[in-house]
Amino acid sequence: MDAFQELSDWLADWQGGTRADGEATRADVSATILAMAQACREISRLIETGPLAGAPDDGGHAAVVGENAGGDQQKALDLRAHDIVIEALKTAPVAVVGSEEADEPILLSEDAAIAVAVDPLDGSSNIDVNMSIGTIFSLLPHAAGKPQASLLRPGTEQLAAGYAIYGPMTELVLTLGSGTHVFVLDRHGHFRLTGSDLAIDPRTSEFAINASNYRHWDEAIRAYIDDCLSGAEGSRGRDFNMRWIGSLVAEASRILTRGGVFLYPGDQRRGYGEGRLRLVYEANPIALLIEQAGGAASTGAGRILDLVPDNLHQRVPLVFGSRGEVERVEHYTTDPHSIGDRSPLFGRRGLFRA
Ligand code: F6P
């Protein structure tokens, strides 16, 4: 393999004309990935310019311009990124696109082989503070005449999944269903392979959760976090570190690089019973990337990739990362006795509780 092989060459090597799942050929998958890479390149360039992309008083990329189907604020960059992705996918064999920024699926070419689910700009609360944000995508086989159903397949049927992260480097993290690989955008606009077959350490001492929601979580999640916070003196017998960036792609990149566990559980807040993240265009692609790197992705009660979505914008509780930690959360969630049995601290109040 060439050092720093270019994405198009890498895909050409993979291609070879054999069929992927369903009716889509590897050529269809490759062409769609290259179109997404083109969109990510454009979005990356746009982000780099920050406020310089517009007029001094137009509010920049972070200006609030509307609300999406899920009730989230839409920033100017959300919509710009959505438009860039749609234009790029028109050049690929894509039948339909399900985007976070559009209430309904967008039909492109009825006879084409691929359906794409996409979050064009993930982590948009980080735009104006110059922190990492991204684009997440999932490729599914398109069933002729069934654009909606094509997008509502379980994550196990994904042909490919990936995200771009716009951070100090722009990276494209990709799986075609066999291994998870990283490409870095160079100064000439080429994505070049910098890491193959990532492997997440099954054990970790780092967790990521929005701890401000502690009082809204159920007992199992509180117990898991209490145990991490108890550190060397608690049932885990070692100290844990915490990180929370508020950007799913940034948390995923950290976990793919050095292990860790991410949790966005359901909680008691209105509208958060199923957490915050979207199954079809956030949890499923991240879950495939994580599993292909040896990690696990769960609702806390079962595997993300086995869920059959019932709507494009459905939310799902998401726990992913180092396999041992994800299994521990599942254990606490699915077996109430495990919380009581877990430590001599049982019966004491949690560390955040009075
Ligand atoms: O897509 C939603 C998102 O921005 C994710 O990127 C991130 O993980 C999460 O929301 C942050 O949520 P909160 O602001 O509730 O911590």
Side-chain angles (χ1 to χ4, degrees):
M1 184 189 299
D2 298 350
F4 303 138
Q5 192 178 21
E6 203 183 320
L7 176 64
S8 54
D9 295 335
W10 185 84
L11 285 168
D13 284 353
W14 171 77
Q15 209 166 294
T18 52
R19 283 191 174 274
D21 292 340
E23 294 304 311
T25 63
R26 287 192 174 197
D28 295 324
V29 172
S30 293
T32 307
I33 298 287
L34 288 173
M36 277 308 310
Q38 170 59 25
C40 295
R41 187 180 294 123
E42 276 182 50
I43 296 168
S44 173
R45 296 286 180 251
L46 188 62
I47 289 169
E48 293 180 341
T49 57
L52 303 176
D57 54 0
D58 70 0
H61 293 322
V64 176
V65 293
E67 198 173 271
N68 66 20
D72 297 330
Q73 283 185 341
Q74 287 174 312
K75 309 275 176 70
L77 190 60
D78 285 316
L79 297 189
R80 196 69 195 92
H82 167 88
D83 291 343
I84 290 171
V85 168
I86 298 298
E87 283 311 305
L89 290 179
K90 284 180 183 168
T91 68
V94 173
V96 60
V97 184
S99 166
E100 176 165 36
E101 306 309 338
D103 293 2
E104 300 296 330
I106 299 164
L107 294 175
L108 296 185
S109 170
E110 175 54 33
D111 296 332
I114 307 274
V116 176
V118 63
D119 178 355
L121 209 280
D122 171 61
S124 51
S125 65
N126 281 325
I127 294 172
D128 48 356
V129 293
N130 197 19
M131 304 259 294
S132 296
I133 49 185
T135 299
I136 312 175
F137 56 93
S138 162
L139 272 59
L140 294 149
H142 174 242
K146 297 183 182 164
Q148 182 87 24
S150 301
L151 291 164
L152 300 183
R153 297 173 184 271
T156 48
E157 295 185 21
Q158 292 174 98
L159 299 167
Y163 66 81
I165 176 166
Y166 314 112
M169 296 177 280
T170 290
E171 289 178 327
L172 184 67
V173 181
L174 187 63
T175 180
L176 304 174
S178 175
T180 294
H181 317 288
V182 184
F183 300 80
V184 172
L185 185 64
D186 72 14
R187 288 182 182 273
H188 308 288
H190 300 129
F191 281 102
R192 293 188 174 279
L193 184 67
T194 56
S196 298
D197 295 312
L198 303 186
I200 300 174
D201 196 325
R203 265 172 51 98
T204 184
S205 297
E206 200 159 74
F207 65 95
I209 194 165
N210 184 339
S212 68
N213 296 319
Y214 182 89
R215 71 190 184 285
H216 305 297
W217 300 333
D218 67 22
E219 196 56 32
I221 300 298
R222 288 190 196 198
Y224 175 76
I225 297 300
D226 283 345
D227 286 357
C228 293
L229 293 172
S230 302
E233 291 78 37
S235 61
R236 303 300 305 270
R238 65 184 199 272
D239 290 338
F240 279 73
N241 186 23
M242 196 197 90
R243 288 284 181 269
W244 186 252
I245 301 172
S247 167
L248 180 59
V249 291
E251 320 280 4
S253 281
R254 187 186 60 251
I255 288 170
L256 283 164
T257 306
R258 66 175 192 220
V261 62
F262 169 101
L263 302 93
Y264 211 121
D267 65 50
Q268 304 289 331
R269 288 173 296 160
R270 188 134 65 121
Y272 280 81
E274 296 300 312
R276 178 183 173 104
L277 300 169
R278 312 306 171 123
L279 173 58
V280 177
Y281 42 77
E282 291 182 317
N284 269 342
I286 295 294
L288 190 62
L289 291 160
I290 293 291
E291 282 200 6
Q292 285 301 316
S298 170
T299 61
R303 188 182 179 213
I304 289 286
L305 294 180
D306 288 335
L307 298 176
V308 181
D310 56 29
N311 80 75
L312 177 61
H313 299 291
Q314 118 180 40
R315 295 175 193 264
V316 71
L318 179 59
V319 180
F320 72 82
S322 296
R323 182 164 289 280
E325 294 305 311
V326 175
E327 287 172 358
R328 178 177 285 263
V329 175
E330 284 185 335
H331 189 46
Y332 284 14
T333 303
T334 55
D335 177 6
H337 298 299
S338 62
I339 300 177
D341 293 344
R342 77 194 196 279
S343 88
L345 289 179
F346 175 58
R348 292 194 199 165
R349 292 185 178 278
L351 294 186
F352 285 173
R353 284 174 276 181

